[in-house]
């Protein structure tokens, strides 16, 4: 099947309309008509070749929601008409220690939704900036939110799970002081989720004009991280800090805010490295500096169910496919509250 998509032919070229192939569903496949797809900062890193190994044409998009249009002969968990989601993972080896633990995101054979090797033409996966996608049932998620919220559910498939997973792993909850650094697509979800988990949430932003908005998202306090005096108030006080910043910055400024045994986890993946932190800031209070990548399929379903139960969706601005390049520029300038989502019906053209 040929469908319309939006992608780039090179890292220095804008995204443009493309025609791509989708395989006919195999026995365990689910074919999905994509209704909406979120725009993650990772899409921009990848399509502009800021990370290594981008293949062209590159069709990004891993915050996918839509409706099942067809299923393979052996699929029993999904049927035509179901509302479903697909996140960053479309395949994995399915038999290693990580897959067995439901942590397909850490499988060495994980196949990402775009730019990973695939048997289908053109030889690598093509993502959700397209009209339809065909995915093995193991990697398809069930959506329990009301259909009117579907567009705002899309960002949960990456921004939601990437913040939910570390917040759970490092035990965010009642009695814990949790910081969220960078109030963008990921960070705004981090605030909502940490708040819903019952933690005391402090938002760190470089943008003074996000103060009120961060409080509305559920932050108990807001700190403008460029202001050393505001930062000093919080020295040695955090159990956990989730750092979503998409650019290299001074990690020490945040490490010193952790109390004994506190941890800061990096989920932001900037194109160039951070300056190495001062080892003494780790040694002195037995602090941890860690990383985390998206989340497994079971935990992604758990996160979607948690969000449906708590009425949590992303704050979004809906755009048409032809506005994607402009949306990228605005995302870089921090001019979105907080996630662009593509209305994939605009690809019909
Ligand atoms: P985003 O919407 O652009 O948000 C990033 C935020 O970081 C900005 O809103 C801004 O917040 C802050 N920021 C940007 N430049 C900064 C700078 N120079 N110094 C300090 N703060 C700065 O991006 P996103 O979609 O949330 O993604 C964030 C990062 O996570 C990206 O690198 C993305 O590739 C990565 N990511 C990782 C995973 C994973 O599995 N680990 C998954 C998805 C995305 P303020 O205005 O509040 O300061
Ligand atoms: Zn993403």
């Amino acid at each position: 099947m040929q469908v319309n998509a939006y992608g780039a032919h090179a890292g220095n070229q804008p995204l443009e309309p493309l025609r791509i192939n989708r395989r006919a569903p195999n026995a365990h496949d689910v074919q999905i008509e994509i209704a909406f797809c979120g725009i993650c900062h990772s899409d921009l890193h990848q399509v502009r070749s800021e990370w290594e190994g981008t293949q062209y044409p590159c069709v990004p998009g891993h915050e996918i929601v839509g409706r099942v249009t067809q299923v393979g002969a052996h699929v029993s968990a999904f049927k035509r008409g179901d509302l479903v989601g697909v996140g960053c993972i479309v395949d994995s080896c399915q038999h290693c220690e990580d897959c067995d633990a439901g942590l397909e995101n850490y499988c060495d054979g994980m196949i990402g939704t775009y730019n990973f090797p695939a048997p289908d033409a053109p030889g690598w996966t093509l993502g959700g900036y397209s009209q339809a996608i065909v995915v093995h049932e193991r990697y398809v998620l069930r959506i329990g939110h009301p259909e009117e919220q579907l567009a705002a559910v899309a960002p949960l498939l990456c921004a939601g799970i990437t913040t939910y997973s570390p917040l759970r792993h490092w035990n965010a909850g009642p009695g814990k002081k949790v910081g969220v650094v960078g109030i963008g697509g990921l960070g705004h979800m981090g605030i909502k989720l940490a708040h819903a988990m019952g933690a005391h949430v402090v938002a760190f932003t470089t943008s003074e004009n996000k103060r009120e908005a961060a409080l509305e998202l559920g932050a108990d306090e807001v700190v403008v991280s460029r202001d050393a005096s505001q930062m000093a108030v919080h020295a040695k006080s955090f159990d956990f800090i989730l750092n979503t910043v998409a650019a290299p910055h001074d990690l020490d400024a945040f490490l010193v805010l952790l109390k004994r045994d506190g941890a800061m986890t990096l989920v932001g993946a900037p194109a160039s490295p951070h300056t190495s932190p001062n080892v003494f800031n780790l040694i002195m209070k037995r602090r941890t500096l860690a990383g985390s990548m998206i989340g497994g399929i079971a935990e992604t379903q758990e996160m979607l169910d948690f969000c449906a139960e708590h009425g949590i969706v992303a704050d979004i601005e809906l755009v048409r496919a032809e506005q994607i390049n402009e949306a990228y520029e605005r995302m870089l300038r921090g001019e979105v509250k907080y996630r662009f989502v593509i209305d994939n019906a605009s690809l019909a053209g």
Side-chain angles (χ1 to χ4, degrees):
M1 173 178 61
Q2 282 234 315
V3 300
N4 293 343
Y6 233 76
H9 289 287
N12 59 2
Q13 282 176 27
L15 283 79
E16 58 182 82
L18 300 172
R19 290 283 285 169
I20 62 167
N21 278 307
R22 293 301 190 192
R23 67 175 179 264
N26 294 320
H28 286 282
D29 281 343
V30 177
Q31 184 190 65
I32 301 159
E33 182 184 26
I34 303 175
F36 302 102
C37 182
I39 295 182
C40 179
H41 205 117
S42 300
D43 300 349
L44 184 154
H45 289 309
Q46 187 82 66
V47 83
R48 294 194 175 172
S49 230
E50 291 179 0
W51 297 339
E52 282 177 24
T54 305
Q55 309 255 34
Y56 294 97
C58 173
V59 175
H62 56 206
E63 293 186 335
I64 297 167
V65 292
R67 209 173 265 291
V68 175
T69 43
Q70 204 183 327
V71 296
H74 292 162
V75 174
S76 54
F78 299 97
K79 60 176 189 323
R80 206 182 148 88
D82 286 351
L83 283 183
V84 294
V86 176
C88 307
I89 310 172
V90 292
D91 207 353
S92 63
C93 85
Q94 306 190 13
H95 51 66
C96 68
E97 203 182 325
D98 297 318
C99 287
D100 287 347
L103 294 170
E104 300 88 347
N105 49 320
Y106 296 117
C107 167
D108 289 335
M110 185 201 101
I111 301 296
T113 306
Y114 56 83
N115 202 58
F116 275 70
D120 308 342
W124 52 92
T125 51
L126 301 170
Y129 297 6
S130 58
Q131 290 179 299
I133 192 164
V134 178
V135 179
H136 187 287
E137 59 177 333
R138 178 178 173 139
Y139 309 94
V140 178
L141 287 309
R142 199 161 276 296
I143 290 169
H145 289 75
E147 190 174 353
E148 314 83 82
Q149 294 184 324
L150 196 58
V153 170
L156 302 182
L157 275 305
C158 175
I161 184 59
T162 301
T163 49
Y164 182 91
S165 184
L167 286 168
R168 281 285 188 234
H169 187 77
W170 277 274
N171 300 312
K176 297 289 175 70
K177 184 172 173 182
V178 170
V180 178
V181 188
I183 313 306
L186 266 56
H188 97 287
M189 287 311 308
I191 294 174
K192 289 186 186 210
L193 291 167
H195 174 74
M197 289 172 188
H200 180 89
V201 185
V202 181
F204 291 93
T205 181
T206 56
S207 318
E208 173 66 47
N209 62 5
K210 289 186 187 171
R211 179 181 289 280
E212 286 310 310
L215 293 170
E216 280 166 28
L217 290 168
D220 297 286
E221 301 175 64
V222 181
V223 173
V224 175
S225 54
R226 296 189 200 279
D227 181 339
S229 62
Q230 286 185 44
M231 293 288 274
V233 172
H234 293 275
K236 303 176 194 169
S237 68
F238 282 87
D239 296 284
F240 181 59
I241 297 177
L242 180 62
N243 188 325
T244 77
V245 173
H249 62 284
D250 175 19
L251 301 180
D252 285 309
F254 297 100
L255 286 173
V256 297
L257 306 187
L258 294 171
K259 64 186 192 191
R260 175 177 49 78
D261 290 327
M264 176 160 78
T265 294
L266 307 178
V267 290
S272 48
H274 300 289
T275 310
S276 179
N278 184 331
V279 170
F280 289 96
N281 287 334
L282 297 170
I283 293 174
M284 297 303 281
K285 292 267 175 203
R286 198 164 56 186
R287 294 169 174 131
T288 301
L289 178 62
S292 182
M293 190 176 80
I294 43 176
I297 297 299
E299 195 174 41
T300 305
Q301 189 63 63
E302 177 188 307
M303 174 277 308
L304 283 168
D305 295 346
F306 177 89
C307 288
E309 192 183 315
H310 289 81
I312 296 173
V313 291
D315 290 13
I316 64 156
E317 181 176 332
L318 206 58
V319 292
R320 295 177 55 83
E322 58 271 24
Q323 295 173 289
I324 292 170
N325 294 302
E326 180 197 339
Y328 278 11
E329 294 308 317
R330 285 183 50 199
M331 176 166 67
L332 282 173
R333 294 196 298 266
E335 286 174 18
V336 50
K337 285 193 170 133
Y338 290 89
R339 197 57 135 188
F340 288 111
V341 172
I342 301 161
D343 181 353
N344 289 48
S346 65
L347 285 163

